[in-house]
Amino acid sequence: MHRLSEEDLALQQAARTFADELIPHEVEIELAGGEVPHALAEQQRARARELGLVATNIAREYGGAGATTLQQVLVQEQGGRVTNALAWVMATPPGWLPSVATAYQRQRWLEPTVRGDATECYAITEEYAGSDVADLAATARRDGDDYVLDGEKWHVTSYNEATYAFFQARLQGGEHDGEHAMFFVDLPSPGVRVVRTPAYSHTIGHHHPIVAFESVRVPAANLVGAEGDGMTFAHEWFRFERLMVAARCLGAADRLVEEATAFATTRMVGGQPLADHQLVAAMLADSVTELVAARTLVYAVARAIDDGADRKVAHAQCSMAKLYASEMAGRVADRAVQVFGGRGYMRENVAERFYRELRVERIWEGASEVQRVIIARQLGKLGLRELT
Ligand SMILES: Cc1cc2nc3c(=O)[nH]c(=O)nc-3n(C[C@H](O)[C@H](O)[C@H](O)COP(=O)(O)OP(=O)(O)OC[C@H]3O[C@@H](n4cnc5c(N)ncnc54)[C@H](O)[C@@H]3O)c2cc1C
């Protein structure tokens, strides 16, 4: 249906093979509170690398796989079939970084990240600045050859695994007073401390602590790009990550439809398979139809980017992909729980885990309402023909 090249199919198959190897570990990891034993995590990381599934988004000249956008989607889609974030070992280092990083920054942070020797986390959101990231209260003040950083960041995903953070703040003083800037902060660093590590709905080994940055001193060489560039990076990151969220939602829905269908065709109720009861059949039919629609949209957006789509058009279309695929996956998970009945409420059941895990896909990287605002704004500015 989607006319994939030989190379696309090979990468998709490698990712599918890897996802199928991860799936048998899900229940054990769920029941262990999400923590993956160190040796197993190392083995999974090595396997992802061996199969060429790491840094697909990074150009070959920086050590990445240099995959097309469509291929990146195909890989992340397969990762989305796995619960408990086990597939996050198919890491996508910051793809926006090569074009703005200095030679020193590439060698110090980017290349080790691509090699798997360093891990990043993003310290951007604050208690009162999430959807409206422009409202950050964190500050960065130039002091001689250094910057001094202050602020409290929320939901810092993978902080417990990270060797450095991207810290975004508002400049205080100087020519760019009030504008945004982003910095590399090595972890641990003096002045950086975890305030607390809240529990979240999903059960994964990556924590999302609240982290305080108190008079953290970093060299001016840690400034990413130029003063005032902070928001530009955030936009580029959002475009990429929204499409990858959409891709993972396709994988989750695919797995749910497959497993719910397998159950419904074998579970006998009232002398006939569940799937023959029309109300259950309708749930399966709606789910697979919405999955196909979402996949068609997401692949089309990826292909358009590979064909050099206009940046603003791509921005709106990535929002459409994320909005539709995340809401589709939420509906599919809800129906899957229903099809499984009481089993679907047990943590050992894939539908139960996805029902909790997929909820955040409608919140992070821009809530559904924010995506709708972006899409409608671009519809007004660019017009229907450009966006479709
Ligand atoms: C598990 C998890 C991991 C995360 N990881 C990271 C991370 O690693 N780094 C990081 O910096 N951040 C991270 N975040 C933060 C995430 O990006 C924000 O939660 C998200 O952008 C929403 O911001 P908020 O929570 O402040 O919600 P708010 O901005 O308070 O919005 C609340 C709700 O209001 C509505 N809303 C908001 N704006 C509008 C609008 N303009 N129009 C209409 N309705 C609106 C939406 O329904 C939204 O859900 C993470 C969050 C979670 C839950």
Side-chain angles (χ1 to χ4, degrees):
M1 185 175 186
H2 293 292
R3 300 183 333 277
L4 300 176
S5 71
E6 289 298 314
E7 205 186 327
D8 296 343
L9 289 168
L11 199 56
Q12 183 188 46
Q13 185 52 51
R16 187 172 184 90
T17 300
F18 184 53
D20 287 342
E21 290 171 8
L22 294 173
I23 285 171
H25 296 282
E26 290 173 343
V27 175
E28 160 205 344
I29 300 303
E30 171 68 33
L31 299 179
E35 302 299 331
V36 183
H38 182 70
L40 180 60
E42 285 304 308
Q43 184 197 319
Q44 291 171 343
R45 257 190 279 277
R47 181 72 172 137
R49 196 160 285 280
E50 174 194 335
L51 289 169
L53 302 171
V54 176
T56 50
N57 61 323
I58 303 288
R60 287 179 204 272
E61 61 183 302
Y62 301 114
T68 64
T69 308
L70 179 62
Q71 289 168 348
Q72 294 169 45
V73 161
L74 295 173
V75 168
Q76 292 300 312
E77 178 180 5
Q78 292 306 317
R81 292 174 53 240
V82 186
T83 65
N84 302 89
L86 294 178
W88 286 16
V89 291
M90 298 198 281
T92 52
W96 49 269
L97 196 51
S99 61
V100 292
T102 61
Y104 164 72
Q105 291 171 345
R106 284 201 292 268
Q107 178 257 320
R108 176 87 173 69
W109 289 287
L110 178 67
E111 288 163 17
T113 310
V114 175
R115 283 199 305 272
D117 297 334
T119 305
E120 81 282 13
C121 65
Y122 286 82
I124 299 173
T125 302
E126 299 173 0
E127 184 173 9
Y128 300 112
S131 303
D132 194 357
V133 115
D135 271 355
L136 294 183
T139 57
R141 178 174 54 81
R142 183 79 192 235
D143 184 27
D145 290 338
D146 296 336
Y147 283 92
V148 179
L149 312 178
D150 281 280
E152 187 176 278
K153 298 296 186 174
W154 277 43
H155 313 296
V156 186
T157 298
S158 307
Y159 180 85
N160 56 322
E161 308 251 329
T163 54
Y164 66 97
F166 289 106
F167 178 88
Q168 192 167 325
R170 205 179 266 274
L171 292 157
Q172 222 177 29
E175 196 187 331
H176 295 274
D177 183 56
E179 294 178 28
H180 283 233
M182 190 180 266
F183 301 87
F184 290 96
V185 179
D186 285 315
L187 299 173
S189 272
V192 182
R193 72 179 169 89
V194 171
V195 176
R196 64 187 177 93
T197 303
Y200 286 70
S201 291
H202 53 206
T203 318
I204 71 174
H206 296 255
H207 302 170
H208 318 279
I210 297 172
V211 181
F213 293 73
E214 293 161 330
S215 301
V216 177
R217 193 167 275 276
V218 296
N222 287 29
L223 172 68
V224 185
E227 289 194 350
D229 277 356
M231 292 302 290
T232 330
F233 306 141
H235 288 139
E236 196 162 334
W237 160 259
F238 280 144
R239 251 194 318 279
F240 166 78
E241 195 50 36
R242 283 169 186 164
L243 192 60
M244 297 305 138
V245 162
R248 289 189 285 271
C249 287
L250 298 181
D254 187 286
R255 169 110 182 266
L256 286 163
V257 171
E258 195 169 30
E259 298 229 9
T261 305
F263 177 73
T265 48
T266 50
R267 164 90 169 113
M268 304 295 286
V269 172
Q272 56 178 352
L274 261 188
D276 288 353
H277 292 268
Q278 289 180 350
L279 295 177
V280 174
M283 288 196 269
L284 297 174
D286 286 348
S287 294
V288 71
T289 303
E290 291 182 35
L291 167 60
V292 170
R295 184 176 280 142
T296 304
L297 168 65
V298 174
Y299 286 16
V301 172
R303 282 188 206 275
I305 292 172
D306 286 332
D307 291 345
D310 171 79
R311 209 159 45 87
K312 286 196 171 126
V313 173
H315 201 76
Q317 291 184 338
C318 287
S319 288
M320 289 181 199
K322 195 231 178 212
L323 171 66
Y324 187 73
S326 64
E327 301 216 331
M328 174 279 299
R331 289 190 295 272
V332 169
D334 187 75
R335 293 186 198 112
V337 170
Q338 203 66 18
V339 169
F340 277 109
R343 291 168 177 80
Y345 200 62
M346 296 163 77
R347 289 204 171 206
E348 63 197 54
N349 185 286
V350 65
E352 190 281 337
R353 295 194 299 281
F354 268 132
Y355 182 71
R356 277 180 293 120
E357 291 183 14
L358 286 168
R359 190 61 187 83
V360 76
E361 308 291 6
R362 286 184 269 161
I363 297 171
W364 61 12
E365 310 304 344
S368 286
E369 293 69 29
V370 171
Q371 307 307 332
R372 289 188 170 94
V373 169
I374 293 169
I375 295 162
R377 191 184 300 137
Q378 292 305 333
L379 178 62
K381 280 187 190 166
L382 303 171
L384 179 63
R385 296 291 155 252
E386 280 294 320
L387 284 197
T388 53

